[in-house]
Amino acid sequence: MTSPARLRVAPSPTGDPHVGTAYMSLFNLAFARKTGGQFVLRIEDTDRARYVADSEQQIFDTLRWLELPWDEGPDVGGPYAPYRQSERLDTYRPYVEQLLESGQAYYCWCSSDRLKELREQQQKDKVSQTGYDRLCLGKTREERAAMPGFTENPVVRMLIPDDAPLDFADIIRGKVSAPRPDDQVILKADGFPTYHLAVVVDDHLMGITHVVRGEEWISSTPKHVLLYRMLGLPTPAFAHMPLLRNTDKSKISKRKNPAARLTWFREQGYLPEALRNFLQLLAYPPVEGETEVATFDEFVAGFDWTKVNTVGPIFDLKKLDWLNGHYIRSLSDAELADRIVEHYAYTGEWTPTTDEVELLRRATPLISERLVLLSEALDKLQFLFTPDAGIEIAEDAGKALNDDSPRVLDAAIDALAELADWSTATIETALRAAVVDGLGIKPKFAFGPLRVGITGSRVSPPLFESMELLGRESSLRRLRNFRDTL
Ligand code: GLU
């Protein structure tokens, strides 16, 4: 049994949260639960240029919606608060001082113009080791100020030693190598630490035992390992999860894929349990044999880093649709109706009255069999929530009609007007007797015009059930309105 592990997810609030944040949270949380440890949410907001104000709230909301709860975080507190890096600026300063005093870091006054020129020159010359040329190393402010490309507010850079280790042990990948870094900025001119310094200091102070993050951070890890060494701190374990990929193997990006945005899944009407289950299967085998459906607890019970496949998993929305359908059908009708109401409350598209919610509950069984996304519910059931006079006949509805349609509607209206008891069964019996048997018209043409009159379209949930839900008055009014247009 592994001792209790402390893991964290450390998103930067730079916009709509990326689906990778949920993916990382899921795996981090699983291992924390498996070992009886803790899962921490830390907000890495030191990049003020990319900061987006409501992004942090979106991170909280989407991870909560997915039921990936954190034990410690900016909103819930914890023994290592604050959990927002912008509130920890005083914490980083002594570490910078320590590195400056021991000569493992130095001030750099190079202006951004000089750095830009340097980069361009290095590209032109195709030099093998690009990066900062150490112009400021060993110089006092006065010495440096006498040279061109000077700015008043210096940054602090770490001095990468010649013997800097360039490989590290990854618990998923084994030995991993990364290119030699140049002298990284650790403290910016605005007094904010860079990601590299803040992540190391915070992971250390917060007692993080396993740093689990995306593959894109592999090249940063030697910088972090070096910082731990320079500061004389113990190094945590590292694991780098594969990047999520599109079906064409390209990397999922928020710019190109709507599905890279975590809120997109909620807007589309996916159930959180379906998305969670889907993420569990990315680069990770099904919990048992071929069974892809599994609870989070089942996932946790068998969790092991060695099962992670390092080949970038394909983000296949068809699989997610399938899982969503599965989870929709495992809900009771009442639960499904509640989820549908919640969905539209979230998107702001529909605010039903109590009566409408009641009607939706009764109508849910008519659509639950085929529903893939919650957002399809209203499309299918809109006719129930539309006033009789507001029913619009779809353009292609003509395909359900022919010369017999007026006769069909007349016979149906007469039969239904006399019906003593209004239920699915009595409606069906009466209509079959009046139209199919009475007029000798095939069911397809007998019921097509009725469906169009009741719902406005050729395709709809089951007709007789729909009429029962609408009630006699409303059904007859719709059929008569439609008859008048023919
Ligand atoms: N702030 C980084 C991010 O936005 C965290 C990377 C890490 O987990 O170290 O992903």
Side-chain angles (χ1 to χ4, degrees), residues 116-180:
K116 188 164 163 257
E117 276 162 32
L118 178 65
R119 258 194 315 274
E120 285 166 359
Q121 194 58 45
Q122 287 176 343
Q123 266 163 15
K124 229 169 80 198
D125 299 347
K126 296 204 169 62
V127 297
S128 57
Q129 180 70 36
T130 58
Y132 185 58
D133 62 356
R134 296 187 168 168
L135 178 65
C136 295
L137 178 61
K139 294 197 174 64
T140 62
R141 183 196 163 280
E142 286 62 37
E143 285 164 353
R144 180 60 185 87
M147 302 169 72
F150 173 87
T151 61
E152 204 48 67
N153 292 325
V155 301
V156 175
R157 292 181 182 273
M158 64 193 278
L159 178 63
I160 306 282
D162 293 343
D163 70 341
L166 299 181
D167 46 49
F168 62 92
D170 185 295
I171 51 182
I172 298 172
R173 296 161 191 265
K175 186 172 150 180
V176 175
S177 312
R180 192 186 156 77

Side-chain angles (χ1 to χ4, degrees), residues 400-401 405 407-413 416 427 431-432 435 443-457 460 463-464 467 475 478-479 482:
L401 308 177
S405 298
R407 290 202 299 144
V408 166
L409 282 157
D410 288 337
I413 290 165
L416 294 176
I427 295 168
L431 290 176
R432 283 194 189 280
V435 189
K444 181 177 171 202
F445 289 105
F447 301 131
L450 306 183
R451 187 183 300 280
V452 173
I454 294 289
T455 68
S457 24
S460 78
L463 177 64
F464 310 122
M467 290 168 93
S475 300
R478 290 178 185 210
L479 294 176
F482 183 48

